[in-house]
Amino acid sequence: MNGSSLPAEDADTRYTTFTGWVDRPTDLTAPLDATISCDVAVIGGGLGGMATALRLAERGVDVVLLESDFCGYGASSRNAGQISAKPTGEPQILAKVNPQLLRDLVRFAGSSVQFAEDLIKQLGIECDYEAVGNVGAAVTKGQMRKALRDAQALSDAGATLQFGDQHELGLPDTFLGGLLTPAGGTMNPGMFTLGLRAALLESGVRVFEQSPAQSVDDIGSGATVTTPLGRVRAKKVVLANNAWAPELAITPQRLSRPVWVNMIETAPVERERIEATGWTSRSGLATKHNVMESYHVTPTNTIAVGVRRLQIGKNPISDRISDPVVVADLTDAFRARFPSLRDVPVTKTWGGWIAMTSSRAPVAGKASKNVYYAIGCNGHGLGQAPYLGSLLADRLTTDEIHPDIMPWWESENHFPRSLYLHNPVLRAAWLADRIGDRRAGR
Ligand SMILES: Cc1cc2nc3c(=O)[nH]c(=O)nc-3n(C[C@H](O)[C@H](O)[C@H](O)COP(=O)(O)OP(=O)(O)OC[C@H]3O[C@@H](n4cnc5c(N)ncnc54)[C@H](O)[C@@H]3O)c2cc1C
């Protein structure tokens, strides 16, 4: 299981510290090197921070956005590119312990997909979006039973979905079936994020890349953000720095933990060979393991495969490349699910940091009188991070509070210790998955 089965051609896999979806932009904006003032300073230029800034600017607010590296440097351009209306978390457990939260999560996830689709249309972003939906796909009978129970809990909570077998859902023939969430689909998240960056740079927002916020001080009448060469005096500050949030002293304790997630991508495969596996729907796939495997077939017929192992890090976090052991594990997964494509080499690998919360739900609130946060869309932020950011922007500028932000609004800043965010727990989850696969001959 440690990748000793890798064929020789995988020695050519390209490891990158950024993403495999796009190249780094070359038109970085200059760092902040003065003291300036604004209404709202947004910290972090991922999908969340950029959507917050754009929405504020649309509402006539004078906004400054500070980004450590470049807008799109973080998880937003590195993810698996699957935008789903399936909510985060375990639906069966939530249905029992907090059915209202499950209903809120379902509504939020659905609205997030709609929001992202609207952004793509309104801004004319070319990002290879295909509205093919996503399937919570089962590779064992146990996973199939889980998918059925999840389907029941989710539809009781208001979700639109379809439970079906491999043929009905057009899945690869090593899958038994699963749960299709028709809203959403797949996209190139790097193109989506850099498309939003282009719109941001053309808006009235003052964007300073290469400008890490080193400290944020609430001074009662506003807040001051200090960067290596400058300072911003703002009436309000929004933290949208995702996995890096704990690095600023003003962030509430235990808000989130940074978790490293890996991706691999194969060489292009002939379309007919993909169809011959049974994957005719081209829907995004996420298995029903404890720690999912994700599969996304791109318009050039490469296959992007993700996750399977999660590794908790410690702040301050830094650039990394994928661990070759994890790359080998993801490659094993790909070859097990697509045995007829065993000869297809893995050409690229990369990873990214996400902010995981103990509730697995997004969080938004006030760190202090003038400092707000919208963070922690976990592994669902492709649609949810920009939507949450825009809802926070609305909350800062209007008296009306949108019902979609209420469930995530944390008025106490009380974040309990998590039971599952520990490396031994995640390793045990991975091991249980492999034992389950082996027992089922998968
Ligand atoms: C490998 C992987 C696969 C994933 N797959 C999916 C998927 O298929 N579907 C899905 O919905 N979600 C997925 N996700 C999750 C999703 O990508 C994230 O939830 C989402 O991108 C979070 O957006 P964000 O704007 O909050 O954070 P980010 O995109 O991480 O942006 C945060 C930004 O803040 C900047 N920053 C940090 N500290 C500072 C500072 N002090 N000063 C200034 N700037 C700072 C960073 O440089 C970064 O650009 C995946 C994530 C990963 C890593």
Side-chain angles (χ1 to χ4, degrees), residues 4-125:
S4 52
S5 60
L6 277 182
E9 63 267 33
D10 286 335
D12 293 335
T13 304
R14 184 166 69 83
Y15 283 66
T16 167
T17 54
F18 181 40
T19 176
W21 294 110
V22 282
D23 293 330
R24 289 168 176 268
T26 50
D27 58 342
L28 266 54
T29 62
L32 175 71
D33 62 356
T35 296
I36 58 171
S37 301
C38 65
D39 292 331
V40 181
V42 177
I43 298 177
L47 287 167
M50 290 194 284
T52 310
L54 277 170
R55 182 69 148 221
L56 287 167
E58 262 168 45
R59 294 183 171 276
V61 176
D62 176 22
V63 191
V64 164
L65 185 141
L66 297 171
E67 162 56 48
S68 294
D69 203 313
F70 54 85
C71 293
Y73 165 79
S76 297
S77 57
R78 298 165 182 249
N79 60 62
Q82 293 174 220
I83 179 162
S84 174
K86 180 192 170 291
T88 183
E90 289 296 333
Q92 293 168 61
I93 298 176
L94 283 174
K96 287 202 178 86
V97 299
N98 196 341
Q100 183 55 47
L101 179 63
L102 183 60
R103 282 193 288 277
D104 291 337
L105 282 163
V106 165
R107 197 184 62 241
F108 182 72
S111 306
S112 301
V113 170
Q114 187 61 56
F115 181 80
E117 286 178 342
D118 290 348
L119 264 187
I120 292 168
K121 255 190 230 127
Q122 281 158 16
L123 300 174
I125 298 176

Side-chain angles (χ1 to χ4, degrees), residues 218-285:
D218 197 319
I219 52 170
S221 55
T224 306
V225 185
T226 306
T227 68
L229 305 173
R231 184 162 290 174
V232 184
R233 296 208 175 101
K235 291 180 189 150
K236 289 180 171 43
V237 170
V238 173
L239 308 179
N241 48 351
N242 199 35
W244 290 262
E247 290 167 26
L248 291 174
I250 199 152
T251 303
Q253 271 205 333
R254 295 195 296 267
L255 185 145
S256 64
R257 294 199 69 184
V259 175
W260 180 254
V261 188
N262 291 282
M263 298 290 306
I264 59 172
E265 187 178 354
T266 70
V269 186
E270 293 78 17
R271 194 181 172 101
E272 303 72 47
R273 287 188 72 192
I274 292 176
E275 278 171 10
T277 69
W279 197 4
T280 50
S281 66
R282 297 174 76 88
S283 298
L285 311 176

Side-chain angles (χ1 to χ4, degrees), residues 125-407:
I125 298 176
E126 302 273 333
C127 60
D128 292 342
Y129 179 55
E130 295 188 76
V132 286
N134 283 281
V135 177
V139 297
T140 64
K141 285 183 184 156
Q143 289 186 18
M144 198 64 178
R145 287 191 292 273
K146 183 171 190 293
L148 184 57
R149 290 193 301 266
D150 283 356
Q152 191 59 56
L154 286 165
S155 60
D156 289 351
T160 303
L161 35 87
Q162 180 195 340
F163 180 81
D165 67 20
Q166 179 246 327
H167 291 291
E168 286 161 337
L169 300 184
L171 306 180
D173 52 20
T174 51
F175 290 79
L176 303 179
L179 186 55
L180 167 71
T181 313
T186 58
M187 69 164 85
N188 178 318
M191 290 166 73
F192 179 45
T193 304
L194 293 189
L196 201 62
R197 175 179 180 271
L200 181 76
L201 296 182
E202 278 174 17
S203 72
V205 175
R206 285 178 282 165
V207 180
F208 297 94
E209 297 180 312
Q210 313 171 77
S211 303
Q214 294 172 308
S215 62
V216 180
D217 298 296
D218 197 319
I219 52 170
S221 55
T224 306
V225 185
T226 306
T227 68
L229 305 173
R231 184 162 290 174
V232 184
R233 296 208 175 101
K235 291 180 189 150
K236 289 180 171 43
V237 170
V238 173
L239 308 179
N241 48 351
N242 199 35
W244 290 262
E247 290 167 26
L248 291 174
I250 199 152
T251 303
Q253 271 205 333
R254 295 195 296 267
L255 185 145
S256 64
R257 294 199 69 184
V259 175
W260 180 254
V261 188
N262 291 282
M263 298 290 306
I264 59 172
E265 187 178 354
T266 70
V269 186
E270 293 78 17
R271 194 181 172 101
E272 303 72 47
R273 287 188 72 192
I274 292 176
E275 278 171 10
T277 69
W279 197 4
T280 50
S281 66
R282 297 174 76 88
S283 298
L285 311 176
T287 62
K288 304 293 283 179
H289 289 98
N290 295 315
V291 186
M292 70 171 180
E293 296 161 16
S294 68
Y295 298 92
H296 163 181
V297 58
T298 70
T300 53
N301 296 310
T302 65
I303 299 175
V305 183
V307 199
R308 188 131 130 157
R309 292 202 203 200
L310 297 169
Q311 293 165 307
I312 296 173
K314 275 204 179 103
N315 291 96
I317 51 176
S318 54
D319 268 355
R320 290 173 63 153
I321 54 167
S322 308
D323 178 342
V325 171
V326 181
V327 174
D329 190 38
L330 282 171
T331 307
D332 281 351
F334 167 64
R335 300 214 157 110
R337 308 299 165 230
F338 296 88
S340 64
L341 305 180
R342 284 191 75 81
D343 58 306
V344 177
V346 171
T347 54
K348 291 183 215 165
T349 179
W350 68 93
W353 291 104
I354 56 173
M356 295 272 288
T357 56
S358 54
S359 63
R360 289 170 71 178
V363 288
K366 269 175 134 181
S368 67
K369 183 172 172 226
N370 298 301
V371 179
Y372 295 75
Y373 56 84
I375 279 170
C377 294
N378 298 272
H380 289 71
L382 185 50
Q384 295 187 6
Y387 184 51
L388 184 68
S390 80
L391 292 174
L392 178 59
D394 288 350
R395 175 144 191 176
L396 295 186
T397 46
T398 60
D399 293 333
E400 271 175 44
I401 301 174
H402 196 290
D404 278 357
I405 199 171
M406 287 309 291

